[in-house]
Amino acid sequence: MNDILLKLEEAVQFLQAKGISRPGVGVVLGSGLGSFVNEIDIEQEISYQSIPHFPVSTVEGHSGKLIFGKLSGKQLVCMAGRFHYYEGYTPEEVVFPIRVMIRLGIENIILSNAAGGVNPGYKVGDLMIIKDHISFATKNPLIGKNLSTLGPRFPDMSEPYKKELIARALDIGRQQGIDIKQGVYFGVTGPTFETRAEYQMIRILGGDAVGMSTVQEVVAANHMGIPVFAMSVITDIGVREDENTITHEEVLHFAKAAEPKITLIIKEMIASL
Ligand code: HPA
């Protein structure tokens, strides 16, 4: 068997041997968005270190465990902490946990992240549903021999973010009185934030927000035919003329501030599935 498939099998068997219930939905929490886990009726927490072949999270603000439990009566698995290409992981490592969650049985995946706004209509603290993405220099995780038991060689990417899930989130936003933008996520490698010229370029090329995660995970989920919903919290504005310094602390701070809103949306999304 292929090395990746073997590793996936071992990780899945390890988790199933712990008696986890089959999760219906997977959730990935971005930088500064960890308090969503307080909403979960937690059944088991399993640290990444203990799971065979799982990478280990290094970035500040990411705690690094899989959480199994229930929310709104739905069985879920939540990744508290994700893996980024800029940390030095290979694209296969970045998407390994996504593939594990899908092999465990999830039928939908919900991702969140912190992102820099480049749409001049955005402000810090806004929520943006990702309706499409542009990958810029983030290596495609499907490069290499195709793992046909996971999905096709040339996956369709005409609807990487499920329209039906987007419509649901917009409904929830309306019901809850939360304004939600919709835009294109421009995926970059990081770890530098962008130069002023790069933020301008991203805008010209069609991005509404820019970030260092998510795209590879979305590709892996689409490869395996799993519907994706993803949402960004805008934590900084890249197209400002002045005061354009951006720090990781600022990103974490503004992600935290927007956490109640994004938590509510994700919770209601899960209830509606
Ligand atoms: N650029 C890239 N990634 C980010 C940003 C940004 O401005 N903000 C949060 N993540």
Side-chain angles (χ1 to χ4, degrees):
M1 208 194 299
N2 175 286
D3 201 32
I4 294 176
L5 294 178
L6 209 57
K7 287 178 176 174
L8 272 175
E9 264 347 284
E10 282 175 14
V12 167
Q13 274 169 19
F14 170 86
L15 292 166
Q16 285 171 338
K18 293 212 167 260
I20 56 123
S21 329
R22 183 188 160 122
V25 57
V27 180
V28 181
L29 301 175
S31 304
L33 297 170
S35 77
F36 172 80
V37 300
N38 300 334
E39 303 292 323
I40 305 172
D41 264 332
I42 297 177
E43 290 166 357
Q44 281 207 58
E45 295 189 349
I46 303 175
S47 79
Y48 291 160
Q49 280 124 299
S50 70
I51 307 171
H53 315 298
F54 243 63
V56 176
S57 187
T58 65
V59 79
E60 210 182 311
H62 293 261
S63 60
K65 56 191 175 193
L66 275 189
I67 297 169
F68 292 88
K70 270 209 180 103
L71 195 150
S72 310
K74 305 277 162 35
Q75 210 68 45
L76 64 80
V77 52
C78 176
M79 277 181 75
R82 57 145 63 91
F83 302 97
H84 304 84
Y85 192 38
Y86 65 73
E87 292 177 88
Y89 299 111
T90 64
E92 290 84 0
E93 287 172 324
V94 170
V95 304
F96 186 78
I98 306 295
R99 288 171 163 166
V100 168
M101 292 194 294
I102 296 173
R103 288 298 237 202
L104 284 172
I106 63 166
E107 287 159 10
N108 289 279
I109 186 162
I110 298 178
L111 303 126
S112 62
N113 60 48
V118 294
N119 181 320
Y122 289 5
K123 56 187 189 312
V124 168
D126 278 350
L127 298 183
M128 183 192 91
I129 291 171
I130 303 181
K131 63 173 190 205
D132 207 345
H133 73 227
I134 296 171
S135 164
F136 193 80
T138 58
K139 192 175 164 206
N140 193 306
L142 306 183
I143 289 174
K145 186 171 165 22
N146 185 47
L147 304 172
S148 57
T149 51
L150 302 188
R153 170 75 292 186
F154 300 108
D156 172 63
M157 288 294 277
S158 62
E159 197 182 336
Y161 304 87
K162 266 280 168 278
K163 289 199 179 108
E164 197 226 318
L165 297 178
I166 293 174
R168 255 184 234 208
L170 290 169
D171 272 349
I172 292 165
R174 273 190 290 271
Q175 282 158 22
Q176 302 289 343
I178 298 172
D179 172 53
I180 314 179
K181 315 280 194 232
Q182 287 184 71
V184 173
Y185 180 87
F186 197 96
V188 294
T189 67
T192 45
F193 290 113
E194 289 64 43
T195 63
R196 285 164 195 269
E198 285 166 346
Y199 281 120
Q200 294 297 344
M201 174 199 77
I202 289 164
R203 182 67 194 144
I204 290 165
L205 291 183
D208 293 292
V210 52
M212 308 175 194
S213 66
T214 305
V215 167
Q216 290 165 323
E217 297 158 344
V218 171
V219 167
N222 273 271
H223 183 226
M224 294 175 78
I226 294 299
V228 174
F229 174 76
M231 197 148 76
S232 297
V233 175
I234 304 300
T235 55
D236 51 271
I237 298 295
V239 286
R240 287 179 301 193
E241 276 304 316
D242 304 311
E243 295 168 26
N244 214 25
T245 57
I246 294 161
T247 64
H248 185 52
E249 289 66 36
E250 182 186 342
V251 167
L252 292 180
H253 171 80
F254 287 110
K256 270 260 152 299
E259 227 176 358
K261 279 196 297 187
I262 193 165
T263 297
L264 183 60
I265 304 280
I266 295 178
K267 201 172 137 184
E268 294 294 320
M269 284 292 288
I270 291 170
S272 81
L273 289 174

